[in-house]
Amino acid sequence: MNEGIRTLVDSDLREVTSTKTQTLGSVGRTADGRVYRYAKAGASDLAPGKLAVNADLNADVTNKTIAASAAIGAKSVVIDAGGAIVADAYADGFLTINDATGEGITYAVSGNTGVAGAGEVTVSLKEPLKVAVTVDVSEATLKASPFSGLVISATDQADLPVGVPNVTITAAYYGWVQTQGECAVLADEAVTKGLSLTTGTGVAGAVEAYDGVGEHIIGIASEALVDTEYRSAFLTIS
């Protein structure tokens, strides 16, 4: 797969595929400076101009015990999953050692085995273990890429904004979401030009003026935004 910052043309921004052609989260940039990240839609379509956010953590692989000891230099870790896990669902994601031996380190994931119910899952790493982990002592969390399983933002502002599609990205398909530069966004209120923007609280996928501590700033209104309409904003997500 292509690595590094890719130069994108108009056709790339409109391309939606059923198969992965880039590492999730890969960065692309257009000649005029707009920035995009390569992503996979979740169980529902993503819509152009509507803010997309990351998927929720899966409790079945959150803070679970290590099922087999692994030494420094090992490139796989076995964890005790609490329920069914699809093979390679966490490719391009991350494994964090939460507690006990090996704690405090996050590793990039290349893939994982599947399991039909509660059981052991082998997590393949893109890099070797820096500190050994111990069976039934170390605890770990397996997390998908922030750019895997994206959904349209809810109105509770509780999720991580990751980008705005320029086209419809079909459920479970792959495409590019914009993170920086001029981009059409849906507004759920009138916003004065020049104000910072955050996740909207009135309409799913919309944006509104930043007005509270703890809200994510996703961009700036480069023109006045009109309630219920799509207008251009300058994204500053990543």
Side-chain angles (χ1 to χ4, degrees):
M1 294 184 181
N2 295 325
E3 303 293 343
I5 298 177
R6 175 178 171 180
T7 299
L8 302 176
V9 297
D10 288 345
S11 59
D12 295 318
L13 307 182
R14 297 342 187 225
E15 184 177 46
V16 176
T17 62
S18 60
T19 56
K20 185 171 70 171
T21 61
Q22 312 280 326
T23 299
L24 291 174
S26 291
V27 179
R29 188 186 301 270
T30 61
D32 58 20
R34 288 170 292 159
V35 178
Y36 292 76
R37 301 294 284 269
Y38 189 71
K40 181 182 182 181
S44 300
D45 293 355
L46 302 178
K50 290 189 176 182
L51 180 65
V53 298
N54 70 324
D56 292 334
L57 283 175
N58 182 352
D60 288 331
V61 287
T62 299
N63 203 34
K64 299 299 181 181
T65 54
I66 296 295
S69 295
I72 294 173
K75 293 195 71 173
S76 65
V77 172
V78 184
I79 65 173
D80 289 313
I85 301 297
V86 175
D88 289 335
Y90 294 90
D92 298 335
F94 301 93
L95 180 78
T96 296
I97 308 303
N98 303 135
D99 196 16
T101 55
E103 65 187 2
I105 303 177
T106 294
Y107 299 94
V109 171
S110 59
N112 62 273
T113 60
V115 65
E120 297 182 355
V121 170
T122 299
V123 182
S124 298
L125 307 178
K126 295 183 180 181
E127 56 185 314
L129 283 179
K130 307 304 181 185
V131 180
V133 293
T134 305
V135 60
D136 294 333
V137 175
S138 304
E139 297 174 348
T141 292
L142 183 58
K143 182 180 181 182
S145 164
F147 299 93
S148 177
L150 302 192
V151 296
I152 293 174
S153 64
T155 56
D156 56 13
Q157 298 183 322
D159 301 301
L160 173 68
V162 294
V164 178
N166 294 169
V167 295
T168 297
I169 301 179
T170 307
Y173 275 52
Y174 300 86
W176 295 92
V177 295
Q178 188 173 344
T179 62
Q180 293 183 29
E182 289 292 330
C183 178
V185 294
L186 174 63
D188 72 4
E189 65 181 19
V191 179
T192 302
K193 178 182 177 181
L195 291 183
S196 295
L197 301 172
T198 190
T199 307
T201 56
V203 177
V207 303
E208 66 183 32
Y210 172 88
D211 57 8
V213 175
E215 296 177 352
H216 301 288
I217 296 179
I218 64 164
I220 300 168
S222 53
E223 63 174 294
L225 303 188
V226 178
D227 188 20
T228 75
E229 292 188 6
Y230 292 84
R231 295 291 179 95
S232 183
F234 193 92
L235 298 181
T236 59
I237 296 175
S238 65

